[in-house]
C-alpha cells in the first residue's frame, strides 16, 4: 500500500487515496505559502479597502455624516486606497465600494463628508487623462 503524505505537514494521510492534506487548515497553510507574490499584494490591498469601507460605514450610520480626517487617520484609514471616484465641478468623491467621502474643510479643519454611493454616481463619463493629482511633498 502506498503511503501518501500531506503536502503541508508531511504526515501520512488516512482515508481517501486522492486526499492531499490532513484537513482544511493544512490546505490553507499550503496555499498561503505557495501563493504568488502579486496575489499577496492584492490580498493586502483588498484588506486595506475593506478596512476603509468598514470605517466609512461605521461613521456614516444614516446616509450622510461629517468626520474629522484626524479621527479616521488614527483608526488606520488609508487615504491613498479607494475603489473608484466621482469627480464633479467643485470636488471629487472617493469611494471604497458602496461608501465614499468628499474631502472638505470646516473651520480650517480637514474633514470627510461621508456618503453612501448613489446609483447616478456609477454612470459617469470619466476621463483619467483630465485628472491632475498633486504630490504634496
Ligand atoms: Zn497536514
Amino acid at each position: 500500500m502506498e503511503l501518501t503524505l500531506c503536502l503541508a505537514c508531511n504526515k501520512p494521510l488516512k482515508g481517501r487515496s486522492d486526499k492531499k492534506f490532513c484537513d482544511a487548515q493544512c490546505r490553507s497553510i499550503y496555499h498561503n505559502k505557495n501563493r504568488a507574490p502579486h496575489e499577496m499584494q492584492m490580498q493586502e490591498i483588498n484588506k486595506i479597502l475593506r478596512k476603509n469601507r468598514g470605517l466609512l460605514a461605521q461613521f456614516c450610520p444614516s446616509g450622510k455624516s461629517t468626520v474629522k480626517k484626524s479621527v479616521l487617520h488614527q483608526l488606520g484609514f488609508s487615504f491613498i486606497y479607494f475603489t473608484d471616484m466621482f469627480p464633479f465641478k467643485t470636488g471629487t468623491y472617493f469611494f471604497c465600494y458602496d461608501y465614499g467621502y468628499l474631502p472638505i474643510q470646516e473651520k480650517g479643519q480637514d474633514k470627510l463628508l461621508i456618503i453612501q454611493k448613489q446609483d447616478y454616481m456609477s454612470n459617469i463619463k470619466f476621463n483619467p487623462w483630465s485628472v491632475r493629482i498633486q504630490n504634496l511633498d
Side-chain angles (χ1 to χ4, degrees), residues 85-100:
M85 54 210 273
F86 180 73
F88 60 105
K89 251 188 184 150
T90 54
T92 301
Y93 281 100
F94 296 93
F95 291 99
C96 294
Y97 305 105
D98 54 335
Y99 281 89

Side-chain angles (χ1 to χ4, degrees), residues 17 20 25 28 46 54 57 63 72 77 83 104 113 127 132 137:
S17 60
K20 290 179 185 165
Q25 201 188 337
S28 117
N46 288 341
L72 283 188
F77 192 95
T83 55
I104 57 168
L113 174 67
N127 178 5
R132 295 279 176 275
D137 288 338

